[in-house]
Amino acid sequence: MTTPSTASSRSHAAGRPADCDVVIAGAGPAGLMLAGELRTGGASVIVLERLTEVDPILKAGTLNRPNIEAFYRRGLLPALRKAQQETEWTVSYLSTRRPDGTSALPRFSGHFAAIMLSDEMLDESDPDLAGLCPPDLVALVHQKQVEAILADRAARLGAEVRRGVEVTGFEQDDEGVTVATDQGPIRCGWLVGCDGGRSTVRKLARFDFPGTEPEITGYHGIADMVGVEDLGVGWHATDTGVYLNDPPRGRITTVAFDGAPADRDTPATAEDLQAAIRHVTGADATVTGIRSLTRFTDNTRQATTYRQGRVLLAGDAAHVHPPFGGQGLNLSVGDAMNLGWKLAATVRGTAPDGLLDTYTAERHPLGAWVLDWTRAQIAVMRPDPHARALREVVADLARTADGATYLAKKISGVWQRYDLSGDHPLVGTSTPDYALADGSRLADHMHDGRALLLDPSGALHELAAPYRDRMRTITAAPLTDDAPAALFVRPDGYVAWAGEPDPGSLDKELQTWLGVPLAHPSQTPEAVTANPSLGQNPPSGKAKP
């Protein structure tokens, strides 16, 4: 199978030794998270980033619950907490969130369609919000900080990041992919496009990318301004759009409903931001300096599939939408967590048939939900009379415990689950972080990216032994009465099986998600990891494109 491309070369097709198992185009959150996950799973990785330096533009500033849990399970929660504590605007923001001026972290912070939600309105009796665990200590971390943490992890694990290298084309065949770049070709087993909303990989591979056209132009900036002293603080709706004013940090966001910009490729300027502020707020603003500025629209699209042969998409390359709530960052990290262990298992040759196809099956519905969630916010923010009447209704609901709790749960992602087979209510959900009798927590045992089997009774030891290279068995009992007797957790932290320790029912799930067990279960995980063949492409036929 070949894919149309530009600047590709057949002289580097099948038969050339691979330079690495996986090439990732793009060193944003999706690409860097994926690089770390692949290295954890034993695959060799080269990340190609066309930018020579990290993009300094201020982007998303929050992480949702599933992604904080992902960082936690990989031992990165201390780094997130440190980043949050060291960020001046975050400390300032937190201090302004409490009437007494303290910087206590609110249980929840967010907005729907520029309608702020109050954490004081949340129903603390809701089972999805009950209790506190380590991930609750983190919420406000810049995307730039997230990228720095993920880049450091990827480098420590041995991923190679090449900056200033642009993908210009590729050819795929039954054995791999030859990636053409402006600095020469690279031969690999798989290519993953994590190269943003205007993804070169997606366009070259001709993925279908349907969606809805933009109707807004938004600006998000950190700027020096005069003439805005009388603007209200926080989110406000006007006759021409909505705006966010955050004076302590010089942060301002405007959203105008006058269509997309005529030239979306031209960088935004101080003059553009100044005109937008005047148009949306009515203030006679003057922008005297720019520290960060980005322009955005509500162009909303999603690839119909995330895989074509040996080429896959993740993050904004697979789905684009307006940035409200930082859902793009969170969706991107989730894509990488889901894909990483599956692609690594495919590279190793241990993946069961169809495992890689579950990536699209599981992540596409969540991406579709995010697109509709942001479309709904655009509808509520419109300045026409019908939308403004609807906005008042939504605002009233947000001021009730039920309404605020519903919106907070949706924004925070605590509701997210995968549609997996199994009768136990935990199947398909993010695994609870049980405190264990040995003083550890369940997440403490997931740093190496292996699956987990919680087996306090020891009844499943014999069944689990042949999977020691890809699954860790925990015998310490949970310190709670509501935990199942046994629990099988996938490498990404989602429950694949739970219930009584029945080898018959568990055996099917182990083979479904982990594949064929070791022929010699006495072989240790350390010996398997040290085997250099695990980092190479499997023999022809093991990984079907």
Side-chain angles (χ1 to χ4, degrees):
M1 176 179 179
T2 60
T3 300
S5 59
T6 61
S8 56
S9 172
R10 284 189 174 276
S11 65
H12 296 280
R16 168 183 165 170
D19 298 300
C20 65
D21 294 317
V22 182
V23 165
I24 299 172
L32 293 171
M33 187 72 179
L34 180 59
E37 290 302 290
L38 289 169
R39 288 299 301 135
T40 298
S44 56
V45 182
I46 296 175
V47 182
L48 305 178
E49 171 55 57
R50 65 178 182 83
L51 298 177
T52 57
E53 302 291 340
V54 176
D55 187 355
I57 298 298
L58 180 66
K59 298 178 182 178
T62 60
L63 288 172
N64 69 5
R65 181 59 179 268
N67 289 314
I68 299 171
E69 289 177 338
F71 276 71
Y72 177 39
R73 289 166 182 155
R74 296 301 184 256
L76 298 173
L77 192 61
L80 285 182
R81 293 169 70 176
K82 184 174 184 290
Q84 179 172 260
Q85 293 164 359
E86 292 180 349
T87 304
E88 181 179 354
W89 78 268
T90 303
V91 174
S92 174
Y93 172 80
L94 295 179
S95 69
T96 61
R97 290 283 295 169
R98 297 299 189 186
D100 62 1
T102 63
S103 59
L105 186 67
R107 182 64 185 273
F108 172 82
S109 176
H111 73 90
F112 178 83
I115 299 169
M116 288 301 300
L117 306 179
S118 171
D119 61 299
E120 296 177 356
M121 290 300 302
L122 299 186
D123 179 6
E124 297 289 350
S125 68
D126 188 290
D128 289 330
L129 302 177
L132 290 171
C133 62
D136 290 317
L137 301 175
V138 175
L140 302 171
V141 182
H142 278 310
Q143 180 168 322
K144 289 190 296 184
Q145 295 171 303
V146 170
E147 291 182 10
I149 293 169
L150 293 178
D152 177 70
R153 176 189 182 230
R156 285 189 286 105
L157 292 172
E160 181 181 354
V161 179
R162 300 181 184 177
R163 288 195 166 272
V165 181
E166 186 170 2
V167 173
T168 58
F170 67 85
E171 288 274 356
Q172 66 167 312
D173 52 67
D174 291 341
E175 297 179 358
V177 185
T178 301
V179 182
T181 79
D182 57 357
Q183 296 187 21
I186 301 173
R187 179 69 177 171
C188 60
W190 302 83
L191 170 63
V192 185
C194 298
D195 48 343
R198 302 181 184 183
S199 169
T200 297
V201 172
R202 184 189 68 236
K203 293 173 182 177
L204 292 175
R206 297 183 181 177
F207 281 83
D208 291 334
F209 201 50
T212 52
E213 295 294 328
E215 59 181 89
I216 70 168
T217 295
Y219 291 91
H220 178 63
I222 304 294
D224 299 317
M225 300 168 284
V226 295
V228 295
E229 294 78 15
D230 294 333
L231 291 183
V233 176
W235 283 102
H236 296 272
T238 72
D239 292 340
T240 51
V242 297
Y243 72 88
L244 168 68
N245 183 34
D246 186 8
R249 287 156 294 283
R251 175 188 174 203
I252 193 158
T253 300
T254 64
V255 178
F257 286 79
D258 50 6
D263 185 357
R264 294 171 61 185
D265 294 326
T266 301
T269 66
E271 290 74 19
D272 292 331
L273 177 61
Q274 178 175 288
I277 295 172
R278 293 179 177 183
H279 173 64
V280 174
T281 72
D284 188 20
T286 300
V287 176
T288 59
I290 293 290
R291 284 169 276 166
S292 175
L293 179 61
T294 184
R295 179 175 54 212
F296 62 90
T297 73
D298 59 325
N299 180 42
T300 307
R301 300 182 179 278
Q302 183 180 27
T304 54
T305 179
Y306 292 176
R307 179 191 175 196
Q308 289 188 9
R310 289 179 174 269
V311 180
L312 301 105
L313 303 176
D316 290 349
H319 36 69
V320 294
H321 51 83
F324 304 117
Q327 292 288 348
L329 167 62
N330 291 300
L331 198 55
S332 295
V333 173
D335 287 351
M337 279 293 289
N338 187 285
L339 174 60
W341 68 277
K342 296 173 181 178
L343 185 53
T346 302
V347 167
R348 293 197 311 266
T350 61
D353 289 342
L355 179 66
L356 204 51
D357 292 327
T358 66
Y359 168 55
T360 295
E362 292 177 358
R363 294 303 298 177
H364 197 277
L366 290 180
W369 177 86
V370 168
L371 267 61
D372 281 343
W373 181 258
T374 55
R375 287 188 181 107
Q377 293 184 72
I378 294 296
V380 174
M381 286 191 289
R382 288 176 183 143
D384 64 86
H386 294 86
R388 285 299 154 87
L390 176 62
R391 183 180 183 81
E392 289 301 315
V393 173
V394 175
D396 280 345
L397 290 173
R399 288 189 285 266
T400 68
D402 286 346
T405 300
Y406 168 82
L407 292 171
K409 288 170 62 175
K410 290 295 186 180
I411 295 170
S412 67
V414 297
W415 62 276
Q416 293 182 10
R417 64 181 298 158
Y418 297 133
D419 185 16
L420 307 183
S421 62
D423 297 329
H424 197 281
L426 283 179
V427 171
T429 68
S430 178
T431 185
D433 184 37
Y434 295 122
L436 304 177
D438 63 0
S440 66
R441 302 188 72 98
L442 203 62
D444 296 333
H445 301 276
M446 302 189 71
H447 295 184
D448 63 0
R450 279 188 282 168
L452 280 186
L453 178 63
L454 185 62
D455 180 28
S457 71
L460 303 171
H461 174 76
E462 185 174 346
L463 179 64
Y467 292 96
R468 292 184 64 195
D469 63 320
R470 65 206 85 159
M471 184 172 69
R472 181 187 300 275
T473 300
I474 308 299
T475 57
L479 299 178
T480 178
D481 294 333
D482 61 357
L487 187 73
F488 168 42
V489 183
R490 303 188 324 186
D492 59 355
Y494 281 78
V495 177
W497 175 89
E500 295 300 318
D502 174 18
S505 63
L506 175 60
D507 183 49
K508 176 183 176 182
E509 298 303 324
L510 291 178
Q511 293 192 46
T512 295
W513 297 109
L514 301 185
V516 178
L518 287 172
H520 304 288
S522 60
Q523 187 176 13
T524 66
E526 291 74 17
V528 174
T529 303
N531 184 348
S533 66
L534 287 181
Q536 306 300 320
N537 289 314
S540 178
K542 281 194 175 182
K544 298 179 181 179

